Structure formats: C-alpha cells, structure tokens
Amino acid sequence: MTALAGVITDAQIDWRRCFRLLNDKAQLGDVVGAEELFSHVRARVPAKSTRMLYNTILKACANRGDVHRASAWYRRLNIAGVDASARTIGKLAEAAAKAGEVD
C-alpha cells in the first residue's frame, strides 16, 4: 500500500488533501514519500500554488539535510518556469546547513 491509499481515487484527486499529506511527509524529511505525492498532484495544482508545491519538496530535502536532492529539485523548479522566492532560497540554504555544506 502506498502513501496515496485513501487519498487518490481513479476518478479524481483532491489536491488539497494530497498537499497536506505531502506537507506532513516534508515535515518528517520523507523525501521519497513527498516525491511520490508530488508526481500525483502536480498536474492538478492550480498555477498559483505551483511554487508552494515545489517549496514543499524543498522543505522535505531541507529537513532530511539532502542538499544534492534539493539542488536537483531547484533545477526542476527553474526548468518548469517557476519563480523562486525567498522561501525557496531559504530551503536550499537550510538543506546545505543541515548537510554541513555551509562555510
């Protein structure tokens, strides 16, 4: 059973409910679980919430201290044409700090 059990139906997705679950995964630093949810919810999130969605993945990376994965997600954000915010940069810095890669 995946993290999506009880959240995803064949007919439709409640993106807000999935987003809350994604945020829970991010809080725990569960990058894999957050990525799985991202892949299911991305196409259904309104454009105005896209940056928040990417920032939540970066939050998972930061909480895990996975600076390399955070960098990869930052590249994906840029390729998707999503503008970074101060929070975006803050999550990258947090990931680097937790990984011990800050001078």
Side-chain angles (χ1 to χ4, degrees), residues 1-83:
M1 189 165 288
T2 71
L4 302 176
V7 177
I8 305 291
T9 66
D10 291 336
Q12 68 182 49
I13 184 172
D14 178 351
W15 77 266
R16 287 180 184 90
R17 190 169 172 202
C18 282
F19 180 80
R20 286 190 297 274
L21 185 54
L22 189 154
N23 190 57
D24 291 345
K25 300 279 183 193
Q27 287 283 87
L28 297 171
D30 180 359
V31 178
V32 173
E35 288 173 339
E36 179 181 336
L37 286 164
F38 180 96
S39 69
H40 283 81
V41 76
R42 170 63 185 99
R44 293 165 176 89
V45 170
K48 66 181 182 175
S49 299
T50 302
R51 181 173 52 208
M52 180 177 63
L53 185 64
Y54 277 95
N55 282 351
T56 305
I57 291 290
L58 290 171
K59 177 182 182 178
C61 296
N63 286 340
R64 169 72 62 197
D66 190 338
V67 69
H68 300 292
R69 212 167 202 162
S71 295
W73 275 100
Y74 182 70
R75 283 190 299 279
R76 288 178 71 176
L77 175 141
N78 285 320
I79 290 167
V82 177
D83 292 328

